[in-house]
Amino acid sequence: MMKMPTPSTDSVKVAVRARPFSQREKNSGSKCVISMHSGTTTIQDPKNPEHVKTFTFDLAYWSHSGFQMDKDGVFISADPNSKFASQGLVPRVCEELFQATETQERNQEHQVTFSMLEIYNEQVRDLLSRTKKPGGLKVREDQQLGFYVEGLTSVPCENYAQIERLMEQGTKIRTTASTSMNASSSRSHMVITIQFKQAFPDRGLTKQSSINLVDLAGSERQKSSGSEGDRLREGSRVNLSLTNLGNVISALADAAMGKKVLHVPYRDSVLTKLLQSALGGNSRTTLIAAISPADICYEETLSTLRYAERAKKIRNKAMVNTYTLTKESNAENSTLRLGCRRSRMAEQSAHSLAEHGLRTDQLTWAHQLEQAREEWRQHYVAIAQERQMMKTVPHLLNVSEDPQLTGVLKHFLQAGSCDAGRAASNAISLQGLGISDKHASFTNSDGKVTVTPHGKCKVVVNGVPIATKTKLQHLDRIILGSNSSYLYIGFPWERGGEDLSRFDYDFFQLERAAAEGVSVDKLGAGDRGEGKADPSVLAVFQDYVKLMPLVAEANQMSEELKKELKMELKVKNLASSDSRGCDLQKEVMVKVTNQRTHEVWIWSKAKFINRKFLMEELYQRFLDGEDSHVVQEDDPFWDPVQVVHLGSAHIWLQPLAYCMKFEEQAEFLNCEGLEEAVLHIRITPCSPAGRACGEEDVVIDPLELLGKRMDFQIRIVRCLGAKWLKEDAERGIQMGYRIYNLPYTLYTKPVWKIMNPQIEESVQFTALNASQEFLNYLQTNALVVDLWGLQEGCTELSCSQPDLLVTDEGHIMVDTKKISTVIDIGQTASAQMSELYLKLLRLEQETGMLRSINRALSEENALLKESLERTGSAHQPSSTLKITGMTAPSPAAREIDQACTQRASYDREFAKALKGFYQSMNVARGKFLKLRCHKPPEDDQMLRPFVHQQAQMLKDFGELLESSLWKLKNDVALIVKKKRECLLHSE
């Protein structure tokens, strides 16, 4: 009798592999931010090189450098000392598996079966079956087997060569399905399952295990699909499996760390159902994280490393699956374990029954194996014929976004003419978006091959669209429909030893972009004097090229589904929104236009990708003959109407720094740098009352304005020649701008259905004490005025000015940074602090007025003193009398001396009042700093006393400000009153 083995507890082993740069990363001038030393993996933040994170995994493979390409196009180690780790995981596993079976004892029999499936959009596709089942295969659950795929093809295999052929077959079906369903393999998961069974006939014993090799979808796609700000961001099921896998890993990691976990969400996705035993059950599991070492992928790589680090905490309980008796009952298999207390006769009967079960199982296996051998013979004949034709006949090789799928499909161009298209009657059956029933004809005649489009069908050769018969040359690049890409392999005498690997998917798209006039130079990268283009612009260019085929596919789906949307790629130059006009990083966006209603939307890159996933789901339902109608709120081709940013105009403010008025007509430039409209604007320095300053107010040096009050008016006069209004007379416009540190954008009133509208809106601004920073801003920055397009049904931009600081005259205050910096108490009592902020602002205004009064009084004192001195000197001969050798002042002199003494006394009193005020302000500042130091307690029970204490301190602070201001105002008022009485008396 066999003793049941004790389960062994193992952590999930985690390996990490740093791959070579992709062509896109090379073109972007990427730098390596990953290093591996002594089992540790380190990643460096490219924006902050001192910020380094280190991870430790069970295995670390360096595949980024130290390699060369062999004759078969496979990367191998460049020299024996290189630490390069080559790729090829599935072949290695299968090869070693069959090598191990050859060294086993002769009394053992081995049975190996192979299955291959793909999970896309929560549907399971059998990659070894040419029959497509609508809705995919179903995932069932059995009490003993757990989750399994019903009806999945499982093929017996005798050696690795057979598995290799099955993988080729599965990859071909995957490629065909990917093309026909428009389902990119980079967004799907592939699961290869190898069932391995060991039979021991002499002992009546069977051991069985399953090896699951899972290729997960790429993280880049998954991340970009989660669009920020998209109302449909949760609607797509494309990345559901990967998201739920992360949730399962997190739950299992928490459980391994001793945390209480109520539920592990295995059932939330197809992938996690099939991987339940691998993730938290009877298995040994290894996770390999393939990471990009490029700086432009830093965030994604760091996220993947953290994902892997968490998975490392999961623990499985692995045990050998040993069966001592297998009894077949109808179509259901049940496993019976022999008990310990049995008679010898019962044991003999059981042993005989076990041998009978094994013999039956062996006969079934032999029958399956014979059927498989017959299929292998036919398959090998077909492969041999295909290889011979590849040597002698011109043909088309498919080029896919996924390098593993490139070159899988081969369409041979035999002598004569053949049609290519969607219809089954064509000699070359093509699938994919934009492919018509009869799309094009290929003709092989007199040693040359030509291609002719049918009607207006889209055919592109070497990046250039063609409309007539075109001769093909060896290695020509052909795109049929929206994005079905093929490399033409010519006649044998045309071929050489070319490296076909360089003609990858990116090569096709770059060539297509160049033919359409899109280049790095056009996007404004230029030469920075180092012989290299700006990396940020290179990255945007790569984004542009990457999105080109996606936009073409989205437009084709829109056409076939009759959505009447046209999508165009645009590159937004962020310098248009920068007041200094700096050439900041650009970004790619998609302009979406409803060709029937002329409604316009602007989608970010992330939002467009998310929407395209949803469009694919809807389009797939359309292809399957299902109802593709959805309510408007769930339609990925629809969005609520919104305002559209049309362009920006820069008005340089330097004249204002010299108190000079100016008037301009400036261009509104759109994202492409083209004129969208013309702005007529007038900016005038003025008095607080709004009177325009004259030439006598012009200053030679802006420093003359330092610390003084500055008032100026911005008047938007009109908008001229707006293309937005020319395209549709029912539209409207608004303009908005924000100056210096103003917290809100000011918008003009909306104007509808008027060409060249007269705006005539004026706003006055005030800087109470012009700071050096504000004067610098005026000399070096521009006022950026944005033009916004309104369309019927959209929400207009708000023209209200909430919470703006204004003077007593109602003018908007700018240059209030000093005040704003002082009031920063945190968020504990924001309502009280808002009130104190206004009080302090009024205090600052009053203080400014007092300073002005003080300066005026000081000037009056100086003038009066000079006048008195002149008066005194004029009367000096007769102003004194000589009495016994002494002089005595005259009545007039005594009056003058008395007046001077009184004025000096008033100045002293004023200085004393200011000193008292400043002292009280120091006390207030101390209270304020004390308030800022107080932090909310972590204990919730102490929060209420804390808030009460803060409220009381705020109240005391407010009362101190009020009393200090009241005392200063009263003291100054009394001094000013006495001084004026003195002046009147002296006059």
Side-chain angles (χ1 to χ4, degrees), residues 331-371:
E332 180 180 357
N333 293 333
S334 60
T335 301
L336 304 176
R337 292 186 176 85
L338 298 177
C340 294
R341 298 179 181 177
R342 296 242 181 139
S343 65
R344 187 169 182 176
M345 184 181 296
E347 289 180 6
Q348 291 176 347
S349 299
H351 187 70
S352 301
L353 187 59
E355 287 182 342
H356 174 73
L358 284 173
R359 283 197 299 271
T360 304
D361 189 52
Q362 288 165 5
L363 289 173
T364 305
W365 170 255
H367 179 68
Q368 292 177 348
L369 200 56
E370 186 57 36
Q371 286 183 325

Side-chain angles (χ1 to χ4, degrees), residues 562-723:
K562 295 181 172 54
K563 295 295 183 178
E564 300 182 282
L565 289 190
K566 180 184 178 183
M567 286 160 251
E568 304 170 86
L569 270 177
K570 301 288 183 182
V571 177
K572 182 178 181 181
N573 185 358
L574 301 182
S576 63
S577 59
D578 178 53
S579 64
R580 296 178 67 91
C582 296
D583 191 15
L584 301 178
Q585 182 177 349
K586 298 174 173 62
E587 63 181 19
V588 179
M589 59 185 184
V590 178
K591 180 182 179 182
V592 185
T593 306
N594 187 311
Q595 295 177 297
R596 179 176 55 84
T597 64
H598 303 292
E599 294 172 341
V600 176
W601 297 270
I602 302 295
W603 289 349
S604 66
K605 169 191 167 185
K607 182 173 181 177
F608 167 73
I609 292 176
N610 186 59
R611 287 303 178 90
K612 185 172 182 294
F613 289 168
L614 296 168
M615 292 174 188
E616 289 173 5
E617 292 182 24
L618 196 63
Y619 183 71
Q620 189 58 49
R621 287 161 56 180
F622 168 75
L623 291 181
D624 292 340
E626 301 176 12
D627 182 13
S628 58
H629 175 75
V630 290
V631 295
Q632 191 178 61
E633 289 73 17
D634 296 332
D635 190 351
F637 291 91
W638 179 85
D639 249 354
V641 183
Q642 56 189 221
V643 295
V644 178
H645 184 259
L646 302 177
S648 302
H650 281 63
I651 313 299
W652 295 97
L653 297 171
Q654 192 175 24
L656 195 58
Y658 295 87
C659 243
M660 297 170 60
K661 63 181 179 181
F662 58 104
E663 187 170 353
E664 286 191 22
Q665 287 193 352
E667 296 176 330
F668 282 110
L669 300 180
N670 60 23
C671 64
E672 297 174 315
L674 303 176
E675 180 184 309
E676 185 70 28
V678 175
L679 167 68
H680 184 189
I681 190 171
R682 187 181 299 127
I683 299 182
T684 308
C686 61
S687 67
R691 179 181 59 83
C693 293
E695 293 183 2
E696 66 278 3
D697 297 304
V698 175
V699 298
I700 298 185
D701 186 349
L703 287 176
E704 296 179 39
L705 302 173
L706 185 63
K708 295 182 180 179
R709 173 168 177 161
M710 288 184 64
D711 286 85
F712 56 94
Q713 293 179 348
I714 297 179
R715 185 178 188 84
I716 295 182
V717 182
R718 66 188 308 186
C719 178
L720 304 167
K723 294 180 181 178

Side-chain angles (χ1 to χ4, degrees), residues 75-105:
F75 290 158
I76 59 174
S77 181
D79 60 76
N81 297 323
S82 172
K83 61 178 181 178
F84 174 77
S86 62
Q87 186 182 13
L89 182 66
V90 175
R92 288 186 175 185
V93 170
C94 297
E95 280 182 316
E96 292 188 14
L97 176 65
F98 284 105
Q99 287 174 3
T101 60
E102 294 174 359
T103 61
Q104 296 296 321
E105 302 173 8

Side-chain angles (χ1 to χ4, degrees), residues 858-871:
S858 298
E859 291 172 359
E860 289 180 17
N861 279 341
L863 292 172
L864 186 58
K865 187 173 182 180
E866 291 176 5
S867 177
L868 290 173
E869 288 176 354
R870 288 195 300 272
T871 304

